[in-house]
Amino acid sequence: MASTNDLKNGMVLNLDKELWAVVEFQHVKPGKGPAFVRTTLKHVLTGKVVDKTFNAGTKVETANVDKRTMQYLYADGDDFVFMDLDTYDQIHVSGETVGDNVNYLLPEAEVVVATHEGVPLYVELPTSVIVKVTYTEPGLQGDRSTGGNKPATIETGATVQVPLFIVTDEKIKVDTRDGRYLGRA
């Protein structure tokens, strides 16, 4: 249990048996009336964002979320197998939990896996990854009025929009949050 006065960004709360991460908080002391804490909370599993107001000093239950650096080993059916780099324990994470991160999950990649009471909650990738372009159409010089983009398939099977000068077998840097091309590697 913690007081609403002790809230910090990134803290995970257990409200109504669901896990919510504090995205932003603001302690407000109006000229008239009691103080309160205005928070923006993000649901850990679904990503839904809500605004919630607590009276100052109210007790809230905190959740113990364990974040560990793990290495992605292989896909096992619909599950993905990760190994803890400290203990060498292997855990299976469902494809549903990995979500869209599968588009940028490379073998032997180091990621952060968050668990609560032994249950994997989410997988956090590095903000950018270097991947190899496995296929893209050749870009022809002069077929554009300004800098254009074309689709390229990367080694994980995902499709990324890249500039026309990128060719097959070239390594590029991609933002894992929105799948944007960042540059050549």
Side-chain angles (χ1 to χ4, degrees), residues 48-108:
K48 180 181 175 185
V49 177
V50 297
D51 291 325
K52 189 161 175 71
T53 304
F54 299 97
N55 289 330
T58 305
K59 297 284 185 206
V60 289
E61 190 178 341
T62 58
N64 186 17
V65 175
D66 187 22
K67 292 183 177 180
R68 293 177 172 262
T69 301
M70 296 193 175
Q71 184 180 41
Y72 169 60
L73 297 178
Y74 59 91
D76 183 20
D78 290 339
D79 290 354
F80 296 86
V81 180
F82 294 88
M83 179 181 66
D84 190 323
L85 293 175
D86 297 329
T87 63
Y88 302 108
D89 291 339
Q90 293 183 9
I91 65 165
H92 289 256
V93 179
S94 71
E96 199 174 278
T97 303
V98 174
D100 289 340
N101 288 340
V102 71
N103 293 333
Y104 309 105
L105 193 58
L106 298 167
E108 300 179 14

Side-chain angles (χ1 to χ4, degrees), residues 112-125:
V112 175
V113 178
T115 58
H116 174 63
E117 296 175 358
V119 178
L121 299 174
Y122 59 88
V123 175
E124 206 173 274
L125 295 177

Side-chain angles (χ1 to χ4, degrees), residues 124-160:
E124 206 173 274
L125 295 177
T127 54
S128 65
V129 291
I130 294 174
V131 292
K132 184 177 170 187
V133 174
T134 55
Y135 177 76
T136 186
E137 294 285 336
L140 300 175
Q141 193 65 28
D143 64 354
R144 64 198 182 277
S145 58
T146 60
N149 287 335
K150 62 181 180 179
T153 305
I154 58 175
E155 58 189 299
T156 60
T159 303
V160 178

